[in-house]
Amino acid sequence: MTTMRDQAAAGGREWTGLRVLLWLLGFFGVIMVANGAMVHYALSTFGGVETESAYAAGLRYQADIEAAARQAKLGWQISTEVRDLGEEARELGVRSLDAEGVPLRRLEIEAMLRHPIDSRLDHPLAFTETAPGLYVAEVDAAAGQWELDMALAQDGETRFRSENRLILR
């Protein structure tokens, strides 16, 4: 059986306690640096959270159900259409009709074009009424899948909310 002293006598270096400690510290130091780099890159590339506070969303749940029931009673007919203007310029149109098919005038539309993965790519949209019941906004977003979140208000009161999936080409 060969011992560490025999290995040292044969030309190898002796494994002292200090040498073992330095190797262990170096090994775990490399692991900690690699983990630190991975954590940094994971946090710096994470685009956002779907729900900022699940607890607050849970408290609003009943109010959301009641608002959806009020919205359904209105019978509003809201449709969207994306129109390509050429060279990556697009226009988003929102047509709004009441339950009788009469165009809804003087609506205030608060809308956000949300990227499904990265909230840093979200785009707010500014709508203007171009014809009775027709509201148009310029879209400055890359091609791909997007989510359109809209809130339509009339006389300062939000009366209609919508979330739709859009595909921009």
Side-chain angles (χ1 to χ4, degrees), residues 90 112-116 118 120-123 139-149 164-169:
R90 293 177 200 85
M112 180 73 74
L113 196 59
R114 298 190 188 282
H115 192 273
D118 192 348
R120 295 172 296 182
L121 300 175
D122 293 353
H123 295 278
V139 177
D140 182 27
Q145 256 187 87
W146 293 86
E147 294 175 11
L148 174 64
D149 291 347
N164 298 299
R165 180 70 47 116
L166 290 179
I167 297 178
L168 301 179
R169 299 191 194 295

Side-chain angles (χ1 to χ4, degrees), residues 7-41:
Q7 290 175 350
R13 292 179 44 194
E14 185 176 346
W15 283 87
T16 63
L18 179 61
R19 186 173 180 199
V20 171
L21 176 65
L22 291 176
W23 272 97
L24 282 172
L25 290 176
F27 174 78
F28 286 110
V30 168
I31 290 175
M32 290 174 70
V33 167
N35 284 341
M38 284 192 232
V39 167
H40 167 72
Y41 290 121

Side-chain angles (χ1 to χ4, degrees), residues 60-74 158-161:
R60 287 192 312 268
Y61 183 68
Q62 187 60 36
D64 290 345
I65 290 173
E66 292 166 0
R70 285 192 304 274
Q71 177 175 316
K73 280 184 185 178
L74 288 174
T158 300
R159 309 191 86 206
F160 189 92
R161 289 193 181 277

